[in-house]
Amino acid sequence: MNRTRSNELYEQALQHIVGGVNSPSRSFKAVGGGAPVFMQKANGAYFWDVDGNRYIDYLAAYGPIILGHAHPHVTEAITRAAANGTLYGTPTELEIDFARMLKEAIPSLDKVRFVNSGTEAVMSTIRVARAYTGRAKIIKFAGCYHGHSDLVLVAAGSGPSTLGIPDSAGIPLSLASEVITVPFNDLAALEEALAVWGGETAAVMVEPIVGNFGMVMPKPGFLEGLCRLARAHGALVIYDEVITAFRFHYGSAQTYAGLPLETPGGWDAVQPDLTALGKIIGGGLPIGAYGGRREIMEQVAPLGPAYQAGTMAGNPASIAAGIACLQALREPGTYARLESLAAALADGLSAAARRHGIALTVNRIGGAFSTHFCDHPVTNYDEAQDTDGERFAQFFRLMLEQGVCLAPSKYEAWFLTTAHTEDDTAATLAAAERAFAEMAKRG
Ligand code: PMP
């Protein structure tokens, strides 16, 4: 595949944009380096790059593009909104409509606030949880990504109840010491951490279904236990549903029927106090939102003492795109179709890998799945790290050469969109068959 123009643009980008990319996940550093592909156009399930090559897109912009690119209903809503002005700095009626839609779909939200990104949504939930509890510490889970704000870019120390160490330069140790990181799916570790720090913990934050070290389900009883333990220590529960909301059904993970609960249907036992949202709810435009229990959200300015604001927040274009996206997702059969496409593809990949003697664990949840080059299950971050990154890099490049676009990281999911067809998944499986054959040959 000829990518001369992409390579040229990358050289230019390196001169002007740090690392040549505007988000590190877009670089090919994790898959052996070199120029990323510069895309020029996207429609439905496809990308076209600047050299005219076509790709089937499973990146879906890291999640938001669940309807495929340039979905007519969303595009029309954005165009209509833009024609009436993109930013007012005043309240608008559409914001109320959208807040109502979110509340209807996610019952734990009594009140919401719109922001501009998942990072902001998470950051704001932490501020509010601290304001409400008067406590400083946050407990999070290893490998869960919650955006790039200081507090949540902190990794585990050397034991389950040790204080965090910064994951990035520029985060003071004093801040990192407010964060405790424990392994996902490990209630004993959470219990141990809370036994030590429970009295100082404002909130336990979790991706209720993980999307950031592969797609990983909570084990039966994990979320109930997490909520029970947090509450026993007077800490709030924050769900980061930036990836998961509207991903698996018309609602969020906290009401997803596929969630393995201790008590089937025991939804009350897994309701969070606060939820962070983003990605899909913006229909492809920048957005975030957070919300939760009334008395907690009433801590936020102008009602309460916790300050949080935004010039761009609730802008008419993002809100209109979000409403249009959710309207389209309400079409009957949408999620069943995403799931059946993903199941056929995930099962086909597993079978093809087996045929070629390649160890592959596929974690599929609804219309999304992750592929881990290993022969063990992936239920936590340690297991996700202990997979063959070089094999993934080989697979990623062999697929790219055949016009299949995946995220350039062994931890990221494949996302199906309503624009994908059976022909697309069949073509993808044929490409994977050839990729695995080549990988087996190379050894
Ligand atoms: N939370 C989760 C679970 C995420 O996956 C992400 C982004 N991948 C974020 C927060 C941050 O969202 P944003 O990139 O919109 O700031």
mmCIF file of all heavy atoms in Angstrom, residues 62 116-120 122 145-148 207 211-212 240-243 278-279 287 412, ligand 1:
data_model
loop_
_atom_site.group_PDB
_atom_site.id
_atom_site.type_symbol
_atom_site.label_atom_id
_atom_site.label_comp_id
_atom_site.label_asym_id
_atom_site.label_seq_id
_atom_site.Cartn_x
_atom_site.Cartn_y
_atom_site.Cartn_z
ATOM 1 N N TYR A 62 -11.900 6.055 18.800
ATOM 2 C CA TYR A 62 -11.791 5.598 20.195
ATOM 3 C C TYR A 62 -13.160 5.556 20.873
ATOM 4 O O TYR A 62 -13.261 5.762 22.075
ATOM 5 C CB TYR A 62 -10.772 6.426 20.987
ATOM 6 C CG TYR A 62 -9.362 6.184 20.508
ATOM 7 C CD1 TYR A 62 -8.834 6.886 19.434
ATOM 8 C CD2 TYR A 62 -8.564 5.206 21.105
ATOM 9 C CE1 TYR A 62 -7.560 6.636 18.955
ATOM 10 C CE2 TYR A 62 -7.287 4.945 20.639
ATOM 11 C CZ TYR A 62 -6.785 5.669 19.564
ATOM 12 O OH TYR A 62 -5.531 5.400 19.100
ATOM 13 N N ASN A 116 -16.786 19.657 28.349
ATOM 14 C CA ASN A 116 -16.308 19.514 26.963
ATOM 15 C C ASN A 116 -15.544 18.242 26.647
ATOM 16 O O ASN A 116 -15.195 18.010 25.492
ATOM 17 C CB ASN A 116 -15.409 20.704 26.615
ATOM 18 C CG ASN A 116 -16.143 21.995 26.805
ATOM 19 O OD1 ASN A 116 -17.161 22.226 26.174
ATOM 20 N ND2 ASN A 116 -15.657 22.817 27.719
ATOM 21 N N SER A 117 -15.237 17.446 27.650
ATOM 22 C CA SER A 117 -14.466 16.229 27.380
ATOM 23 C C SER A 117 -14.666 15.268 28.542
ATOM 24 O O SER A 117 -15.135 15.671 29.629
ATOM 25 C CB SER A 117 -12.972 16.558 27.264
ATOM 26 O OG SER A 117 -12.482 16.989 28.516
ATOM 27 N N GLY A 118 -14.276 14.026 28.298
ATOM 28 C CA GLY A 118 -14.320 13.035 29.363
ATOM 29 C C GLY A 118 -13.391 13.416 30.504
ATOM 30 O O GLY A 118 -13.718 13.227 31.683
ATOM 31 N N THR A 119 -12.233 13.959 30.154
ATOM 32 C CA THR A 119 -11.276 14.390 31.173
ATOM 33 C C THR A 119 -11.927 15.388 32.131
ATOM 34 O O THR A 119 -11.834 15.260 33.357
ATOM 35 C CB THR A 119 -10.039 15.035 30.503
ATOM 36 O OG1 THR A 119 -9.370 14.028 29.735
ATOM 37 C CG2 THR A 119 -9.082 15.634 31.509
ATOM 38 N N GLU A 120 -12.584 16.381 31.558
ATOM 39 C CA GLU A 120 -13.246 17.398 32.400
ATOM 40 C C GLU A 120 -14.358 16.797 33.252
ATOM 41 O O GLU A 120 -14.558 17.210 34.399
ATOM 42 C CB GLU A 120 -13.890 18.461 31.510
ATOM 43 C CG GLU A 120 -12.990 19.577 31.096
ATOM 44 C CD GLU A 120 -13.804 20.613 30.343
ATOM 45 O OE1 GLU A 120 -14.690 21.238 30.936
ATOM 46 O OE2 GLU A 120 -13.553 20.788 29.137
ATOM 47 N N VAL A 122 -14.614 13.742 34.442
ATOM 48 C CA VAL A 122 -14.025 12.995 35.567
ATOM 49 C C VAL A 122 -13.457 13.949 36.616
ATOM 50 O O VAL A 122 -13.696 13.807 37.820
ATOM 51 C CB VAL A 122 -12.924 12.048 35.053
ATOM 52 C CG1 VAL A 122 -12.106 11.501 36.202
ATOM 53 C CG2 VAL A 122 -13.537 10.915 34.235
ATOM 54 N N TYR A 145 -8.295 4.072 32.682
ATOM 55 C CA TYR A 145 -7.890 5.419 32.274
ATOM 56 C C TYR A 145 -9.064 6.352 32.497
ATOM 57 O O TYR A 145 -10.191 6.035 32.122
ATOM 58 C CB TYR A 145 -7.488 5.414 30.792
ATOM 59 C CG TYR A 145 -7.124 6.781 30.249
ATOM 60 C CD1 TYR A 145 -5.953 7.410 30.651
ATOM 61 C CD2 TYR A 145 -7.946 7.437 29.336
ATOM 62 C CE1 TYR A 145 -5.613 8.662 30.153
ATOM 63 C CE2 TYR A 145 -7.614 8.690 28.832
ATOM 64 C CZ TYR A 145 -6.447 9.296 29.248
ATOM 65 O OH TYR A 145 -6.119 10.541 28.750
ATOM 66 N N HIS A 146 -8.773 7.480 33.127
ATOM 67 C CA HIS A 146 -9.859 8.421 33.424
ATOM 68 C C HIS A 146 -9.553 9.821 32.881
ATOM 69 O O HIS A 146 -9.959 10.813 33.477
ATOM 70 C CB HIS A 146 -10.085 8.493 34.934
ATOM 71 C CG HIS A 146 -10.455 7.165 35.559
ATOM 72 N ND1 HIS A 146 -11.627 6.513 35.272
ATOM 73 C CD2 HIS A 146 -9.782 6.379 36.433
ATOM 74 C CE1 HIS A 146 -11.681 5.371 35.968
ATOM 75 N NE2 HIS A 146 -10.575 5.270 36.673
ATOM 76 N N GLY A 147 -8.798 9.890 31.778
ATOM 77 C CA GLY A 147 -8.442 11.198 31.237
ATOM 78 C C GLY A 147 -7.088 11.628 31.762
ATOM 79 O O GLY A 147 -6.425 10.888 32.497
ATOM 80 N N HIS A 148 -6.677 12.853 31.370
ATOM 81 C CA HIS A 148 -5.294 13.236 31.645
ATOM 82 C C HIS A 148 -5.143 14.256 32.779
ATOM 83 O O HIS A 148 -4.111 14.904 32.902
ATOM 84 C CB HIS A 148 -4.612 13.723 30.363
ATOM 85 C CG HIS A 148 -5.175 15.000 29.814
ATOM 86 N ND1 HIS A 148 -6.260 15.028 28.969
ATOM 87 C CD2 HIS A 148 -4.806 16.280 29.998
ATOM 88 C CE1 HIS A 148 -6.535 16.280 28.655
ATOM 89 N NE2 HIS A 148 -5.666 17.053 29.271
ATOM 90 N N GLU A 207 -14.138 2.278 36.116
ATOM 91 C CA GLU A 207 -14.856 2.008 34.865
ATOM 92 C C GLU A 207 -15.662 0.742 35.148
ATOM 93 O O GLU A 207 -15.073 -0.322 35.307
ATOM 94 C CB GLU A 207 -13.883 1.696 33.728
ATOM 95 C CG GLU A 207 -13.045 2.837 33.222
ATOM 96 C CD GLU A 207 -12.132 2.372 32.067
ATOM 97 O OE1 GLU A 207 -12.634 2.190 30.951
ATOM 98 O OE2 GLU A 207 -10.939 2.174 32.291
ATOM 99 N N GLY A 211 -12.798 -0.369 29.564
ATOM 100 C CA GLY A 211 -12.540 -0.228 28.131
ATOM 101 C C GLY A 211 -11.109 0.154 27.843
ATOM 102 O O GLY A 211 -10.758 0.374 26.690
ATOM 103 N N ASN A 212 -10.283 0.251 28.862
ATOM 104 C CA ASN A 212 -8.948 0.823 28.645
ATOM 105 C C ASN A 212 -7.775 -0.116 28.831
ATOM 106 O O ASN A 212 -6.633 0.305 28.627
ATOM 107 C CB ASN A 212 -8.776 2.064 29.519
ATOM 108 C CG ASN A 212 -9.382 3.286 28.847
ATOM 109 O OD1 ASN A 212 -8.934 3.678 27.778
ATOM 110 N ND2 ASN A 212 -10.405 3.863 29.434
ATOM 111 N N ASP A 240 -16.921 5.952 35.934
ATOM 112 C CA ASP A 240 -16.473 6.617 34.712
ATOM 113 C C ASP A 240 -17.066 5.837 33.545
ATOM 114 O O ASP A 240 -16.584 4.757 33.202
ATOM 115 C CB ASP A 240 -14.945 6.641 34.654
ATOM 116 C CG ASP A 240 -14.439 7.300 33.374
ATOM 117 O OD1 ASP A 240 -15.250 7.510 32.447
ATOM 118 O OD2 ASP A 240 -13.222 7.571 33.303
ATOM 119 N N GLU A 241 -18.117 6.398 32.975
ATOM 120 C CA GLU A 241 -18.825 5.723 31.873
ATOM 121 C C GLU A 241 -18.584 6.455 30.551
ATOM 122 O O GLU A 241 -19.438 6.458 29.658
ATOM 123 C CB GLU A 241 -20.319 5.641 32.190
ATOM 124 C CG GLU A 241 -20.609 4.815 33.438
ATOM 125 C CD GLU A 241 -21.626 3.715 33.175
ATOM 126 O OE1 GLU A 241 -21.574 3.078 32.102
ATOM 127 O OE2 GLU A 241 -22.471 3.519 34.067
ATOM 128 N N VAL A 242 -17.417 7.097 30.464
ATOM 129 C CA VAL A 242 -17.089 7.848 29.250
ATOM 130 C C VAL A 242 -17.088 6.908 28.031
ATOM 131 O O VAL A 242 -17.589 7.271 26.958
ATOM 132 C CB VAL A 242 -15.738 8.580 29.422
ATOM 133 C CG1 VAL A 242 -15.219 9.110 28.097
ATOM 134 C CG2 VAL A 242 -15.892 9.716 30.431
ATOM 135 N N ILE A 243 -16.569 5.702 28.199
ATOM 136 C CA ILE A 243 -16.613 4.731 27.090
ATOM 137 C C ILE A 243 -17.919 3.939 27.082
ATOM 138 O O ILE A 243 -18.474 3.645 26.030
ATOM 139 C CB ILE A 243 -15.448 3.718 27.189
ATOM 140 C CG1 ILE A 243 -14.135 4.391 26.792
ATOM 141 C CG2 ILE A 243 -15.690 2.501 26.281
ATOM 142 C CD1 ILE A 243 -12.987 3.444 26.614
ATOM 143 N N GLY A 278 -19.096 10.912 28.304
ATOM 144 C CA GLY A 278 -18.405 11.594 27.199
ATOM 145 C C GLY A 278 -18.595 10.788 25.927
ATOM 146 O O GLY A 278 -19.558 10.037 25.795
ATOM 147 N N LYS A 279 -17.664 10.940 24.990
ATOM 148 C CA LYS A 279 -17.613 10.140 23.753
ATOM 149 C C LYS A 279 -18.949 10.055 23.013
ATOM 150 O O LYS A 279 -19.344 11.024 22.373
ATOM 151 C CB LYS A 279 -17.044 8.748 24.060
ATOM 152 C CG LYS A 279 -15.597 8.866 24.602
ATOM 153 C CD LYS A 279 -14.737 7.687 24.301
ATOM 154 C CE LYS A 279 -13.403 7.791 24.996
ATOM 155 N NZ LYS A 279 -12.248 7.466 24.252
ATOM 156 N N ILE A 287 -17.539 16.723 23.800
ATOM 157 C CA ILE A 287 -18.508 16.833 24.891
ATOM 158 C C ILE A 287 -18.040 16.007 26.077
ATOM 159 O O ILE A 287 -17.217 15.099 25.948
ATOM 160 C CB ILE A 287 -19.915 16.353 24.459
ATOM 161 C CG1 ILE A 287 -21.004 16.991 25.335
ATOM 162 C CG2 ILE A 287 -20.024 14.830 24.536
ATOM 163 C CD1 ILE A 287 -22.385 16.937 24.773
ATOM 164 N N GLU A 412 -6.360 -1.401 23.210
ATOM 165 C CA GLU A 412 -7.598 -0.749 22.755
ATOM 166 C C GLU A 412 -8.574 -1.744 22.140
ATOM 167 O O GLU A 412 -8.181 -2.775 21.602
ATOM 168 C CB GLU A 412 -7.274 0.333 21.720
ATOM 169 C CG GLU A 412 -6.517 1.520 22.288
ATOM 170 C CD GLU A 412 -7.356 2.406 23.196
ATOM 171 O OE1 GLU A 412 -8.606 2.318 23.136
ATOM 172 O OE2 GLU A 412 -6.769 3.174 23.964
HETATM 173 N N1 PMP B 1 -12.558 8.165 30.879
HETATM 174 C C1 PMP B 1 -12.472 7.078 30.100
HETATM 175 C C2 PMP B 1 -13.003 5.772 30.600
HETATM 176 C C3 PMP B 1 -11.884 7.178 28.846
HETATM 177 O O1 PMP B 1 -11.765 6.087 28.085
HETATM 178 C C4 PMP B 1 -11.420 8.445 28.389
HETATM 179 C C5 PMP B 1 -10.789 8.627 27.024
HETATM 180 N N2 PMP B 1 -10.384 7.532 26.352
HETATM 181 C C6 PMP B 1 -11.548 9.532 29.239
HETATM 182 C C7 PMP B 1 -12.126 9.364 30.468
HETATM 183 C C8 PMP B 1 -11.087 10.892 28.815
HETATM 184 O O2 PMP B 1 -11.923 11.403 27.841
HETATM 185 P P1 PMP B 1 -11.418 12.588 26.863
HETATM 186 O O3 PMP B 1 -10.367 11.990 25.980
HETATM 187 O O4 PMP B 1 -12.674 12.997 26.137
HETATM 188 O O5 PMP B 1 -10.892 13.665 27.721
#
